Amino acid sequence: MLNKLKNFRKLSFSACLLLGLSFLATTANAQFIGINVDVAIAYSAASGTASGGAVGISHPVPFIPNLGASRVIFNETENTTSSADANSVLTLETKTTISTFNFFYNIPFPVVSIALGIGAGTMTNNTAVTETVSGTATSDNSELSTPVSEAFIHIGLPFWNTIEFHLGYHAMSVSNIDITSKSGIVVTNYNLSNKSYTGGMTTIGVQIAF
């Protein structure tokens, strides 16, 4: 009788172990690692076109956020005539780069998928400052780095649980800056105001799950 009880316990333990391993294997097969790649199609604070985008990695572990990064780059040129001398013109050629790292959560819905995230990073402005007075030009550079905060949303349409097409909007918040402040050229006669680069990057992208 004692041997039968021992054998029953062994069989019960083995059955529970097999069921547990089977459940883990099924759960693992049902989970996905997702790679997001998005391309920027516009940035609202840019006077012209913008380039860049966002990337992200999604994982199946609950409560742990997914990781990503965003970047948007744009150029602008501004010409201003001096209020004191009509023969003096100031030209500003600025390249702006906003880079952030972020974390996000995927929120499942019956038809669409939604990702919500926040991030932080820096904005760098490299401005070539050129003052032309009666045909004679003087140039200098002004380079600035400013903290940026980010919040974004992606809305996607999944297909077959392996591919998703989505649209995104990344809201970037940054303090107003004087892009000529690091230049040695005096610009007080040009009535320049501080620049605002707070805006939104619109993206379109795809997620591949495997």
Side-chain angles (χ1 to χ4, degrees), residues 38-40 51-55 69-72 170 201 203:
D38 297 75
V39 177
S51 61
V55 295
S70 305
R71 173 173 289 188
V72 59
H170 296 245
M201 176 177 68
T203 62

Side-chain angles (χ1 to χ4, degrees), residues 23 25 32 41 43 62 83 88 107 137 151 164 176:
F23 173 77
F32 296 96
I41 57 177
Y43 186 69
S83 59
S88 299
I107 304 174
E164 171 193 298
N176 294 354

Side-chain angles (χ1 to χ4, degrees), residues 11-116:
L11 288 173
S12 299
F13 177 77
S14 299
C16 291
L17 181 61
L18 289 173
L19 286 173
L21 291 175
S22 176
F23 173 77
L24 290 175
T26 302
T27 303
N29 288 334
Q31 304 301 319
F32 296 96
I33 298 295
I35 305 297
N36 305 318
V37 179
D38 297 75
V39 177
I41 57 177
Y43 186 69
S44 61
S47 57
T49 59
S51 61
V55 295
I57 299 177
S58 301
H59 60 78
V61 182
F63 306 116
I64 298 178
N66 307 296
L67 301 177
S70 305
R71 173 173 289 188
V72 59
I73 304 170
F74 53 93
N75 299 298
E76 56 188 349
T77 300
E78 180 182 357
N79 294 301
T80 305
T81 302
S82 171
S83 59
D85 182 4
N87 294 319
S88 299
V89 177
L90 187 72
T91 301
L92 306 177
E93 297 177 320
T94 304
K95 179 180 180 180
T96 300
T97 303
I98 300 175
S99 302
T100 64
F101 291 99
N102 53 61
F103 63 88
F104 61 96
Y105 289 95
N106 293 314
I107 304 174
F109 280 86
V111 178
V112 299
S113 64
I114 295 179
L116 299 174

Side-chain angles (χ1 to χ4, degrees), residues 93-178:
E93 297 177 320
T94 304
K95 179 180 180 180
T96 300
T97 303
I98 300 175
S99 302
T100 64
F101 291 99
N102 53 61
F103 63 88
F104 61 96
Y105 289 95
N106 293 314
I107 304 174
F109 280 86
V111 178
V112 299
S113 64
I114 295 179
L116 299 174
I118 59 174
T122 58
M123 177 182 70
T124 58
N125 301 87
N126 190 338
T127 303
V129 184
T130 303
E131 184 181 36
T132 304
V133 180
S134 299
T136 302
T138 304
S139 298
D140 199 0
N141 288 330
S142 177
E143 296 184 10
L144 299 174
S145 181
T146 311
V148 176
S149 59
E150 174 190 26
F152 70 85
I153 181 172
H154 287 179
I155 300 177
L157 188 62
F159 293 90
W160 308 294
N161 290 327
T162 57
I163 188 169
E164 171 193 298
F165 299 97
H166 53 252
L167 294 173
Y169 186 81
H170 296 245
M172 307 290 188
S173 179
V174 60
S175 302
N176 294 354
I177 60 171
D178 177 5

